[in-house]
Amino acid sequence: MAIHEKLSLASLRPLARNLTRSTIAPFVCRQCLRQSFATTAAPLAGHNKWSKTKHLKAVTDKKKMKDRTTFTHTISMLSRLYGEDLKSNPQLVNAIAAATKASIPKALIEAAIARGQGRSTTGAKLEPLTLEILMPPNIALIVDLETDNKTRTMSDVKVVVKKGGALVGSTAFYFSRRGRAVLQGKPDGPGLSDVMEEALEHEGIEDVEELPDGGFLVWTEPARVSSVGQALSRKFGLDIAELNVVWSPNEDTMETLETAAAAESLSSMLANLKEFQEVKAIYANVREGGISDAEWASIEENLDS
């Protein structure tokens, strides 16, 4: 009798069971276990969906941060120029209403009003602080801050600087202090020649430029920016968009950005610095060079010069 004729069905069952458990099962695809006539789509990992969601979230968060900075900057300026009393400062009332409509948190609005008065929301006096930063190869940054705790703020910001591959060092000689007033244009408003003619009547005027949106940029001596800006605003009925003393980079010290790596490094540094509420403004001695418009835009939106 042949060997296979001597094997009974009972003796083959343990062998089949062992083969199924140890050999066959590990190689069975989970999708193959689905019923042949199932109509539900196979579950997917969802990586592509998450990557798109993550990208959209990053863009949204970036826009929110930019909106918050714009609104709080304006509110702080109006509080400083015309006072925090809403009854006598209609421009501040309008700015607060616009910020509220844009879903800017109440706490940030209150902090901006207090900052305009030189104090924190707790009532502590704010003190100015300037941080000078060097980034390779030859990029100079100056960060203006206002804080109620210089030691804490300096320590926190230095951590960001170190992580960004930069170091704290002297950079003030790359810049000049200048007063800058930005006036918003309006339909049927004055032309450049009108503003320049009026500007000549005031001391401390250095230059007047017309902006692409129809507004005007007025450069002054640092001590004269407030008086000149408000005088021109009253004369022509123009709203003040900015009124401050800035660090303007000297032309002979400008650094041209030529590589995507340099642009990405600087953009990341600026974005991280802007997250600090104590940061008032950031200035850098850079210009676009060979990088893309998108790369330059990510840098320029976080700079104040």
Side-chain angles (χ1 to χ4, degrees), residues 2-76:
I3 295 176
H4 68 271
E5 293 179 351
K6 294 182 179 180
L7 295 175
S8 65
L9 181 60
S11 64
L12 289 174
R13 282 175 179 168
L15 179 61
R17 191 181 300 114
N18 290 336
L19 282 172
T20 303
R21 290 177 179 175
S22 63
T23 307
I24 300 175
F27 297 94
V28 175
C29 172
R30 288 184 176 273
Q31 297 300 322
C32 297
L33 297 178
R34 292 170 54 82
Q35 294 183 3
S36 301
F37 298 100
T39 58
T40 306
L44 300 176
H47 299 302
N48 186 47
K49 179 180 178 182
W50 165 240
S51 66
K52 291 179 180 179
T53 302
K54 184 170 63 174
H55 173 71
L56 292 173
K57 184 178 185 301
V59 172
T60 302
D61 290 346
K62 191 174 183 180
K63 183 180 183 304
K64 285 182 179 178
M65 180 64 70
K66 185 177 181 180
D67 288 345
R68 289 181 178 184
T69 301
T70 301
F71 279 111
T72 55
H73 176 83
T74 300
I75 290 170
S76 182

Side-chain angles (χ1 to χ4, degrees), residues 21 36 90 102 139 151 165 184-185 199 224 250 260 271:
R21 290 177 179 175
S36 301
I139 297 174
T151 303
Q184 294 180 353
R224 303 292 298 175
N250 300 323

Side-chain angles (χ1 to χ4, degrees), residues 76 78-85 112-119:
S76 182
L78 293 173
S79 173
R80 182 179 72 253
L81 289 176
Y82 309 117
E84 62 181 329
D85 186 356
I113 295 172
R115 198 178 309 117
Q117 297 299 305
R119 66 174 190 272

Side-chain angles (χ1 to χ4, degrees), residues 73 142-145 244 274 278-283 302 304:
H73 176 83
I142 290 185
V143 183
D144 278 342
L145 307 102
N244 46 30
K274 277 289 187 177
E278 295 88 347
V279 171
K280 283 184 60 182
I282 305 176
Y283 309 95
N302 287 316
D304 294 87

Side-chain angles (χ1 to χ4, degrees), residues 250-305:
N250 300 323
E251 185 63 29
D252 60 346
T253 67
M254 295 292 284
E255 181 74 7
T256 303
L257 295 173
E258 298 292 355
T259 67
E264 183 179 357
S265 179
L266 179 57
S267 178
S268 177
M269 168 74 78
L270 295 175
N272 289 334
L273 288 172
K274 277 289 187 177
E275 290 184 3
F276 288 94
Q277 187 174 329
E278 295 88 347
V279 171
K280 283 184 60 182
I282 305 176
Y283 309 95
N285 68 330
V286 293
R287 55 189 165 203
E288 187 171 354
I291 63 175
S292 69
D293 290 343
E295 288 167 337
W296 174 246
S298 69
I299 292 170
E300 193 175 34
E301 67 183 5
N302 287 316
L303 290 177
D304 294 87
S305 61

